[in-house]
Amino acid sequence: MIIKKFLPVLVFLFLTNCGYKSIYSQKNLSNISITKVELVGNRTLNKSLLSKLFLEVDNDPNLNNILVLDTKKEILSLSKDNAGNTKIYNTKITTTLSLKKNDKVIKKKTFVSDFDYSNIDNKFDLQQYQKNIEQNLIRRIAENILIYLVSIK
């Protein structure tokens, strides 16, 4: 009885979709056309970040908009045991995004993402885990950058 009353409402809500649009499905993510991307800092992290940003580079020489990505990674020891072995690590990735027009910085923002985790006795497993954490942090920063680029007017 109750299902019959609410079924039309639920069908209507699912069909109207509430105007939801995925950020990644948009072809033109922002009003800004980028003519060149410069990578500064950790080259591996920058390339990984750039591959997740879905940026289109416009070759129009009149625009002269340059996007600069400066990425750094830090792995810190947060706590140690009595023998001096690290118990808890923190991986922190910092990306500074600068948007330049005619060699003048018009927008600049820093994105930081970090994660704490326990040490693993097997060093190979620890390295694999740190790579996985690194990719997750890069993905989180890429999402924040996309949201930022969409919001720029």
Side-chain angles (χ1 to χ4, degrees):
M1 180 73 99
I2 295 175
I3 296 174
K4 289 182 180 179
K5 289 181 180 180
F6 290 110
L7 187 62
V9 174
L10 289 174
V11 170
F12 176 73
L13 286 176
F14 285 120
L15 290 177
T16 58
N17 201 16
C18 300
Y20 172 78
K21 233 189 234 185
S22 174
I23 292 176
Y24 301 116
S25 68
Q26 298 177 8
K27 291 188 179 178
N28 188 7
L29 292 176
S30 66
N31 303 347
I32 300 167
S33 295
I34 298 168
T35 55
K36 184 179 176 185
V37 177
E38 291 181 3
L39 305 176
V40 181
N42 189 317
R43 195 152 188 82
T44 307
L45 292 177
N46 275 328
K47 285 184 179 183
S48 179
L49 180 62
L50 193 59
S51 71
K52 291 173 179 37
L53 286 179
F54 307 109
L55 293 175
E56 292 181 17
V57 177
D58 190 354
N59 293 326
D60 185 2
N62 296 329
L63 294 175
N64 201 18
N65 290 330
I66 300 171
L67 181 73
V68 180
L69 293 173
D70 184 4
T71 305
K72 295 177 178 68
K73 175 178 79 169
E74 291 179 89
I75 298 177
L76 303 172
S77 173
L78 294 183
S79 81
K80 295 186 178 192
D81 61 9
N82 293 339
N85 299 323
T86 300
K87 287 176 59 178
I88 299 175
Y89 285 105
N90 173 275
T91 296
K92 177 179 176 182
I93 296 179
T94 307
T95 300
T96 303
L97 177 138
S98 302
L99 188 62
K100 294 181 182 179
K101 185 169 181 105
N102 299 325
D103 293 329
K104 291 184 182 179
V105 177
I106 56 174
K107 296 279 183 181
K108 187 172 187 176
K109 185 164 172 96
T110 300
F111 301 90
V112 179
S113 189
D114 69 334
F115 185 74
D116 299 338
Y117 52 97
S118 298
N119 191 3
I120 301 172
D121 291 333
N122 186 333
K123 296 306 173 192
F124 178 76
D125 289 342
L126 178 63
Q127 286 179 339
Q128 294 302 314
Y129 188 56
Q130 286 176 331
K131 286 180 184 179
N132 193 8
I133 289 170
E134 184 178 292
Q135 288 304 309
N136 290 335
L137 295 176
I138 286 291
R139 188 178 318 113
R140 191 180 310 158
I141 289 175
E143 289 170 358
N144 290 335
I145 288 174
L146 285 173
I147 292 169
Y148 177 71
L149 289 175
V150 168
S151 69
I152 291 177
K153 298 289 183 192

